[in-house]
Amino acid sequence: MVKVAVLGYGTVGSGVVQVIKDNNELVSKRSGTEVDVKYILDLREFPGDPYESLVIHDFNTIVADPEIGVVCETMGGVGAAYAFTKQCLEAGKSVCTSNKELVAKHGPELLEIAKANNCSYLFEASVGGGIPIIRPIMDALCAEKIESILGILNGTTNYILTKMEQEGADFDAVLKEAQALGYAERDPSADIEGHDACRKIAILSSLMTGKNVDSEKVYTEGITKITAEDFAFAKEAGYTIKILGVSEAKEDGSTLIYVSPFLINKAHPLAMVNDVFNAIFVTGNMVGDTMYYGKGAGKLPTASAVVADVIDAARHIGKNIPCYWDAQSAKLAELDDVSHKFFVRIKSEKLYELENLFPGGEELDMAFGGQRVYITPEVNEKEFRTAAEKLGDGLLGRIRVYG
Ligand code: HSE
């Protein structure tokens, strides 16, 4: 028998309890032992909740209870969640988490503690919600040298960009709508500024390289500067706009990792991933392209991934499930050295100057409110920045073009 404690009875935590309770027979059968929830740790009371009798407020009860073999950390943040995770692992209890912020910040240390204490730190739900992506990279693709990972990793921003495209609406209006529907948080900055996607691509890149990718060193650009005009022009030219996490192995052993909005051709499979869905492309040197698609957020999809980890942990009580992610830092390639085409939105009177700065590009035959757009030829990031500065406030917006 394995007893489980759930830390944090919010959206994901209550989903974890629901999955373990509603699917109890199959969860136990597939674990090879009876699995059930013994404690739910939360500061709040939950009168009337079917599992209110399991709610406790003292974390020490969990660490001190030898019956608890697996702990689900669904609190979020890097304060109490970090301290509690460490204490559980030190006590030999496996921890399964959806907390990408904690995994990105302290992954190697927590994995090492788990190994030293013959238990496991599992984080399938930290990237892509209900989409299997951590286990495919660690297990199904473990014979591969992974060459690149590319993905739509954030549901909130994908929802906002989809609505901007479909409704021709402005960013602020769609953000408000997303908040009203509960898709975007009241403080949406981690999503819209790209930090959430950055933590996720850093986790995936750490698994890809086997070394630690510090998410704070990853170039990250959010979607707050994307306008209804960008979409109008992009649509007309056969593109849509998506925010992507990109990770590419370079020949010199470094890895290029960044998060940015991109113009992406309408025919590309990622252009068809809409609303809160996520999709991740993983390319291996033997298998070629593989793609993973599904609900990247939400109570039950995320909880399902946490419970899959609970089952794996229950099957390995007293043993460590290895994860090849060491503390040594991965070598990051400089974004400045990379070349892209850039989609540039400019005041009409500056078009000639822009074409002279980046000759040989594609002028789109569209004008809108005194604005024009031009797609540069492939140009190095640093050269683009330096040249574009000459356009001053004539440059209204620029977006990298994917591919
Ligand atoms: N805020 C995240 C998203 C939740 O919108 O994708 C899932 O990690």
Side-chain angles (χ1 to χ4, degrees):
M1 170 172 320
V2 173
K3 293 282 184 189
V4 176
V6 177
L7 311 183
Y9 201 42
T11 306
V12 179
S14 59
V16 167
V17 176
Q18 187 180 335
V19 174
I20 295 179
K21 292 287 184 186
D22 290 2
N23 282 359
N24 194 262
E25 202 179 317
L26 72 85
V27 168
S28 294
K29 193 167 176 207
R30 292 174 188 172
S31 298
T33 182
E34 199 185 310
V35 172
D36 208 356
V37 181
K38 183 165 182 182
Y39 302 118
I40 297 167
L41 182 79
D42 205 288
L43 291 169
R44 301 163 292 178
E45 302 289 349
F46 294 88
D49 185 279
Y51 307 113
E52 69 170 306
S53 64
L54 305 181
V55 175
I56 59 165
H57 307 296
D58 183 2
F59 170 71
N60 293 315
T61 308
I62 294 170
V63 201
D65 187 338
E67 254 195 348
I68 296 293
V70 181
V71 176
C72 300
E73 186 271 293
T74 51
M75 302 167 65
V78 292
Y82 173 53
F84 290 174
T85 298
K86 254 171 109 162
Q87 287 183 59
C88 290
L89 295 172
E90 282 161 357
K93 300 175 193 307
S94 289
V95 176
C96 307
T97 187
S98 55
N99 184 346
K100 58 253 170 185
E101 195 180 354
L102 185 61
V103 177
K105 197 167 165 109
H106 295 292
E109 181 197 357
L110 295 171
L111 287 163
E112 204 45 54
I113 298 174
K115 194 171 166 187
N117 290 281
N118 299 318
C119 57
S120 305
Y121 185 49
L122 302 174
F123 46 92
E124 179 61 67
S126 67
V127 182
I131 307 173
I133 185 63
I134 302 292
R135 207 164 270 110
I137 291 178
M138 291 206 317
D139 294 340
L141 299 177
C142 65
E144 291 291 319
K145 180 173 188 300
I146 294 176
E147 294 175 336
S148 66
I149 300 177
L150 172 75
I152 294 174
L153 296 166
N154 182 269
T156 304
T157 47
N158 203 42
Y159 174 84
I160 292 172
L161 294 174
T162 304
K163 290 289 164 216
M164 285 178 76
E165 179 179 48
Q166 290 172 348
E167 295 169 7
D170 265 322
F171 172 78
D172 289 332
V174 181
L175 173 61
K176 284 203 182 86
E177 189 187 318
Q179 283 172 314
L181 288 168
Y183 290 144
E185 308 271 344
R186 208 170 305 152
D187 175 4
S189 54
D191 292 318
I192 63 178
E193 301 292 355
H195 304 307
D196 178 79
C198 166
R199 289 170 189 137
K200 292 168 177 167
I201 196 71
I203 293 170
L204 297 179
S205 304
S206 297
L207 297 177
M208 165 174 151
T209 59
K211 300 207 170 108
N212 189 43
V213 172
D214 179 350
S215 62
E216 285 171 21
K217 295 198 174 128
V218 171
Y219 175 86
T220 300
E221 194 175 307
I223 61 164
T224 53
K225 291 188 187 138
I226 308 288
T227 65
E229 288 86 5
D230 288 325
F231 266 106
F233 283 120
K235 207 169 170 177
E236 200 63 33
Y239 293 94
T240 188
I241 302 169
K242 296 289 183 193
I243 177 167
L244 303 177
V246 181
S247 185
E248 289 170 9
K250 297 285 165 195
E251 278 180 10
D252 65 358
S254 65
T255 312
L256 174 69
I257 309 169
Y258 60 112
V259 172
S260 165
F262 277 93
L263 243 72
I264 181 162
N265 195 293
K266 280 276 198 187
H268 191 285
L270 287 179
M272 292 155 213
V273 176
N274 286 324
D275 298 317
V276 290
F277 281 84
N278 286 191
I280 306 156
F281 256 81
V282 180
T283 304
N285 67 335
M286 298 292 155
V287 72
D289 289 341
T290 62
M291 185 173 171
Y292 308 83
Y293 170 82
K295 286 191 180 150
K299 174 175 169 164
L300 291 176
T302 309
S304 168
V306 175
V307 178
D309 280 348
V310 170
I311 294 173
D312 207 7
R315 288 172 179 160
H316 293 89
I317 291 291
K319 293 192 198 119
N320 174 251
I321 300 170
C323 175
Y324 302 99
W325 173 356
D326 353 300
Q328 193 193 349
S329 298
K331 186 174 164 207
L332 301 188
E334 290 290 332
L335 183 62
D336 269 358
D337 299 334
V338 176
S339 295
H340 301 280
K341 290 180 179 176
F342 285 85
F343 163 94
V344 183
R345 189 161 51 81
I346 188 135
K347 287 184 183 162
S348 299
E349 63 271 22
K350 289 278 189 176
L351 182 65
Y352 180 68
E353 201 181 325
L354 173 66
E355 284 175 335
N356 279 337
L357 285 169
F358 304 106
E362 186 189 344
E363 185 193 324
L364 302 180
D365 190 20
M366 289 176 252
F368 181 78
Q371 302 177 19
R372 297 293 299 264
V373 278
Y374 180 74
I375 297 183
T376 69
E378 289 224 346
V379 51
N380 168 287
E381 287 267 347
K382 194 170 177 186
E383 283 166 20
F384 175 83
R385 221 175 34 242
T386 314
E389 271 168 19
K390 300 189 181 129
L391 298 164
D393 65 2
L395 189 148
L396 300 170
R398 62 99 186 98
I399 307 173
R400 296 177 179 87
V401 179
Y402 180 74

